Amino acid sequence: MASKRYILQIFVLLFIFLPFTNSIHFKFPSFFNFGDSNSDTGELVSAGIESLESPHGQGYFRIPSGRYCDGRLIIDFLMDAMDLPFLNAYLDSIGIPSFRKGCNFAAAGSTIQPASAQAVSPFSFGVQVAQFVRFKARVIELLAKGKRLDKYLPAQDYFQKGLYMFDIGQNDLAGAFYSKTYDQILALIPTILIEFETGIKALYDQGARNFWIHNTGPLGCLAQNVAKFGTDPASLDEQGCVSKHNQAAKVFNLQLHALTKKLQGQYTDSNFTYVDIYTIKYNLISNYSKLGFEQPIMACCGFGGPPLNYDSRIACGKTKEINGTTVTAKACNDSSEYINWDGIHYSEAANQYVSSQILTGKYSDPPFSDKMPFLLNLKF
């Protein structure tokens, strides 16, 4: 297993370094992120809505860090690649957090659409945008009082010069499958994207000019969805993923891509970059063995054992009574062999691979050019 991990590390480094022989020499001074658990660095936990116990964070951080992962997320690797500190969550108020280089508003369970009463997270995209507006106003107010807080807060011009990052929409689609037909979900996508467009326009009105938009990944390849919707083998594709979930994601992504193009044409003084996360993740799952992984879909941390090691009644790290027996959802021996961490979220090893592919620029529209943000100072 160790030899396969070395192969993966070499593969990642090759994909990072080779395409950047003519790398750009440009950095954004700040970053503002909006999203769900794919990029939540502690928001939902800081809000007191959920708690994460060990083995979350067992890898890089050694303790639970507010991330739904054994270690770092894609956004962590991207920040690290730019030699910048990890983004603090907006609601993380303990320990004198620094927001000098930006702020993360992403919260696990969040949707683009307004949250329902039953939603895990009340921090829908519109709420996250409202939090940003409050954050910006408060920063400007504090900066006007003197330089005492300068080292903790972004400079006023950072709001226009910064990069605004988005990774949200997965929960809108995945949640809809519990109550709607496939055709109803497809019909809902334009409404979801109208809400997203409204948020983007609000940020533009606040001075945002650089937008970095991730599409949504292959939902049908998550153990949670395979366990619920993949019991009929006919519903699965050749990789063992739920076909209709992935088809819905593709339709969403096509329309999101079109919206990105529309916004670029509408706001000619701005830069919009669309990043094809779906293709990167599906390629990873399709070629998992070549890339050093042992399990493409089965969760590392869960309960139930093969083939999915996922039980919706108990989350990673939790202990509860099931069928009269007290059980704990424990982690596997080596999470770097697994693409999936807990049945819903990717492992640190998988996030590292996805980040390396993002940084090639091949999966972006437009591809990397002199306008793109990444000057690599790699640490991983």
Side-chain angles (χ1 to χ4, degrees):
M1 304 305 175
S3 62
K4 282 200 170 186
R5 287 197 297 277
Y6 293 137
I7 292 171
L8 173 61
Q9 291 170 3
I10 292 170
F11 185 89
V12 167
L13 289 173
L14 283 173
F15 264 93
I16 292 172
F17 282 111
L18 288 180
F20 276 88
T21 52
N22 295 315
S23 61
I24 50 87
H25 299 281
F26 186 80
K27 281 189 176 182
F28 289 114
S30 59
F31 298 81
F32 303 98
N33 186 69
F34 305 80
D36 51 33
S37 56
N38 290 317
S39 59
D40 182 353
T41 55
E43 185 80 349
L44 199 67
V45 171
S46 295
I49 294 174
E50 282 201 350
S51 62
L52 293 178
E53 293 83 20
S54 178
H56 288 291
Q58 68 179 11
Y60 180 82
F61 298 101
R62 305 297 181 189
I63 58 172
S65 65
R67 294 160 173 80
Y68 290 75
C69 184
D70 57 320
R72 290 163 287 184
L73 306 176
I74 292 169
I75 191 171
D76 295 319
F77 283 113
L78 296 182
M79 297 301 291
D80 203 33
M82 291 179 283
D83 200 28
L84 292 171
F86 298 152
L87 288 180
N88 284 314
Y90 172 66
L91 294 179
D92 187 5
S93 58
I94 305 300
I96 317 180
S98 174
F99 296 104
R100 177 66 178 170
K101 294 296 184 179
C103 184
N104 191 2
F105 301 91
S110 295
T111 55
I112 293 174
Q113 298 178 102
S116 67
Q118 295 76 35
V120 173
S121 167
F123 306 117
S124 62
F125 183 50
V127 173
Q128 292 180 28
V129 171
Q131 288 176 329
F132 167 81
V133 172
R134 165 64 179 165
F135 175 83
K136 179 186 174 185
R138 183 64 173 150
V139 166
I140 293 173
E141 177 184 328
L142 291 172
L143 290 176
K145 294 182 178 181
K147 297 184 177 181
R148 185 171 60 90
L149 297 175
D150 281 6
K151 64 180 180 179
Y152 301 109
L153 303 175
Q156 186 166 344
D157 64 344
Y158 283 15
F159 291 104
Q160 183 168 353
K161 295 178 179 178
L163 182 66
Y164 291 73
M165 308 171 76
F166 309 86
D167 191 331
I168 194 167
Q170 174 175 315
N171 293 320
D172 294 84
L173 297 180
F177 272 96
Y178 286 85
S179 60
K180 300 181 185 301
T181 67
Y182 175 73
D183 288 340
Q184 288 173 333
I185 292 168
L186 296 189
L188 181 63
I189 290 173
T191 302
I192 296 172
L193 291 178
I194 287 173
E195 189 74 22
F196 184 72
E197 182 178 6
T198 299
I200 294 292
K201 289 180 176 179
L203 291 170
Y204 178 87
D205 290 342
Q206 287 290 318
R209 293 297 181 268
N210 302 296
F211 301 87
W212 178 268
I213 301 171
H214 288 187
N215 71 12
T216 200
L219 309 177
C221 300
L222 300 176
Q224 180 190 56
N225 292 328
V226 177
K228 175 68 175 178
F229 301 98
T231 53
D232 180 359
S235 67
L236 305 177
D237 67 11
E238 63 275 13
Q239 305 304 330
C241 305
V242 185
S243 297
K244 285 193 174 180
H245 279 64
N246 283 355
Q247 290 167 10
K250 288 179 180 179
V251 173
F252 175 87
N253 291 340
L254 283 171
Q255 294 185 32
L256 176 63
H257 195 181
L259 174 59
T260 305
K261 290 285 194 181
K262 170 191 168 184
L263 291 168
Q264 182 63 81
Q266 184 174 350
Y267 299 117
T268 55
D269 61 339
S270 299
N271 295 307
F272 286 84
T273 302
Y274 171 89
V275 186
D276 188 5
I277 297 296
Y278 182 100
T279 295
I280 297 174
K281 288 184 174 180
Y282 196 77
N283 286 346
L284 169 59
I285 290 163
S286 301
N287 299 286
Y288 71 94
S289 183
K290 294 178 182 177
L291 299 175
F293 292 89
E294 297 289 333
Q295 297 293 340
I297 295 178
M298 186 167 79
C300 166
C301 185
F303 173 74
L308 297 176
N309 195 36
Y310 178 81
D311 190 315
S312 62
R313 295 171 293 180
I314 182 169
C316 173
K318 302 294 186 181
T319 298
K320 67 183 300 185
E321 187 175 298
I322 296 179
N323 298 329
T325 303
T326 300
V327 300
T328 300
K330 298 179 180 179
C332 59
N333 292 329
D334 187 351
S335 59
S336 69
E337 296 177 352
Y338 289 68
I339 290 175
N340 198 289
W341 166 240
D342 60 0
I344 306 171
H345 310 99
Y346 281 56
S347 67
E348 179 181 71
N351 288 332
Q352 182 183 46
Y353 171 80
V354 173
S355 304
S356 75
Q357 297 303 283
I358 292 172
L359 293 173
T360 66
K362 295 188 303 180
Y363 298 93
S364 299
D365 184 15
F368 282 151
S369 67
D370 58 354
K371 292 183 178 179
M372 301 312 297
F374 298 113
L375 173 63
L376 297 185
N377 243 333
L378 295 173
K379 295 181 180 179
F380 64 93

